[in-house]
Amino acid sequence: MKIFDSHFHLIDPQFPLFENQGFLPKPFLLSDYQKWMEKLEIQGGALVSGSFQQFDTSYLSHFLPKLGPQFYGVAQLPASISDEEIMRLNQAGVRAVRFNVKRGGSESLEELEKMAHRVYDLARWHVELYIDAKDLPSLNLPKVSIDHLGLSAEGLPSLLKWVERGARVKATGFGRLNCNPLPLLQQIHQVNPEALMFGTDLPSTRAKRPFELKDVELILQNFLQEDYERLLWENGISFYST
């Protein structure tokens, strides 16, 4: 069974890295990730910019062609970026702008709504939010996904309201949560079967527990086949490729 990995990082010291809150990650190279690709039959995915990469996009332009045609990039970009640069990144395979509210390293939340509409109008990109769902602002965003199941059980009611309005949610980072992920997965799926997009969160920097194979098994054992096929492949590839 093939997997679309909606959230992973590559950490290669040949590209700029920035200490974030006293943390600088260890390398996680393309060759390291390719071992997981083979083990899990990962055939597409989203390479996501971390707080420690700030506004650098050179690594995205370098690695996306090496990963393959069904892989896409998620960049952190300053609000001052030109339309021409956005379209250049679009040509390179970038499909989203990330706002890292939890860790920083990205543009500020004050720029979120304006930038979300700008990149959508220019290139049909979406925005991705790394934020505790209980802190989600009340905004009108044309296309959005929320990282790591919204991070908390307390934020689930707010998260479900966003899902009702069309937001996608990454079924990633189970080791970052303060709760059992299964009830969150089930309730999000019940509201919208197209909302959940599986991802490994590799290499799981700063997570209380890194990604494990049991994270995939949790989905396989608790969803019907047509539903886990959506969650593991169809929802992710359709969201990033259109």
Side-chain angles (χ1 to χ4, degrees):
M1 177 179 48
K2 59 186 179 181
I3 285 177
F4 184 90
D5 185 358
S6 71
H7 195 104
F8 70 95
H9 306 279
L10 293 178
I11 304 165
D12 191 324
Q14 69 176 306
F15 298 97
L17 294 171
F18 306 87
E19 188 175 291
N20 175 267
Q21 300 174 355
F23 173 80
L24 193 65
K26 296 178 181 179
F28 183 72
L29 306 178
L30 177 60
S31 57
D32 298 317
Y33 183 67
Q34 286 171 328
K35 294 174 185 176
W36 282 99
M37 287 177 65
E38 184 176 352
K39 184 183 298 185
L40 294 175
E41 295 189 43
I42 295 170
Q43 298 182 30
L47 173 55
V48 177
S49 295
S51 58
F52 41 80
Q53 285 154 328
Q54 295 189 5
F55 297 140
D56 175 60
T57 60
S58 61
Y59 83 101
L60 290 170
S61 299
H62 177 81
F63 285 119
L64 287 175
K66 297 179 183 299
L67 284 161
Q70 295 187 113
F71 285 85
Y72 304 91
V74 179
Q76 296 176 157
L77 302 173
S80 59
I81 189 171
S82 68
D83 291 355
E84 292 76 15
E85 180 63 8
I86 290 172
M87 296 312 296
R88 186 194 70 78
L89 290 169
N90 184 69
Q91 188 68 27
V94 174
R95 293 294 182 269
V97 178
R98 191 183 197 211
F99 286 76
N100 195 327
V101 182
K102 178 76 171 178
R103 300 288 188 189
S106 66
E107 186 56 87
S108 67
L109 198 59
E110 287 72 24
E111 297 288 346
L112 173 57
E113 190 165 19
K114 181 179 178 181
M115 202 163 181
H117 284 276
R118 182 182 172 213
V119 299
Y120 183 79
D121 291 342
L122 273 172
R124 292 298 185 264
W125 288 6
H126 64 275
V127 292
E128 303 199 354
L129 305 179
Y130 183 19
I131 188 172
D132 192 310
K134 69 178 185 293
D135 299 322
L136 279 166
S138 178
L139 294 171
N140 174 28
L141 304 177
K143 192 176 181 183
V144 61
S145 72
I146 297 162
D147 291 350
H148 309 321
L149 295 174
L151 290 175
S152 71
E154 296 82 1
L156 183 61
S158 177
L159 182 63
L160 292 178
K161 291 178 182 177
W162 278 67
V163 171
E164 289 172 355
R165 300 198 301 267
R168 303 299 180 96
V169 179
K170 293 192 177 184
T172 60
F174 297 169
R176 299 182 186 277
L177 303 179
N178 64 359
C179 58
N180 179 358
L182 184 57
L184 278 66
L185 292 166
Q186 292 171 327
Q187 291 183 65
I188 294 166
H189 176 77
Q190 186 173 11
V191 171
N192 181 3
E194 296 181 354
L196 287 169
M197 305 182 295
F198 173 77
T200 63
D201 189 34
L202 286 166
S204 307
T205 57
R206 288 188 277 196
K208 291 176 289 186
R209 174 183 67 76
F211 171 76
E212 298 176 355
L213 291 177
K214 69 178 183 181
D215 294 340
V216 181
E217 293 166 0
L218 179 74
I219 293 168
L220 296 177
Q221 293 168 2
N222 290 282
F223 287 86
L224 299 174
Q225 181 175 348
E226 65 176 311
D227 293 326
Y228 70 60
E229 287 177 350
R230 280 179 173 177
L231 206 161
L232 294 175
W233 176 261
E234 294 168 13
N235 291 349
I237 189 68
S238 65
F239 188 65
Y240 279 91
S241 62
T242 57

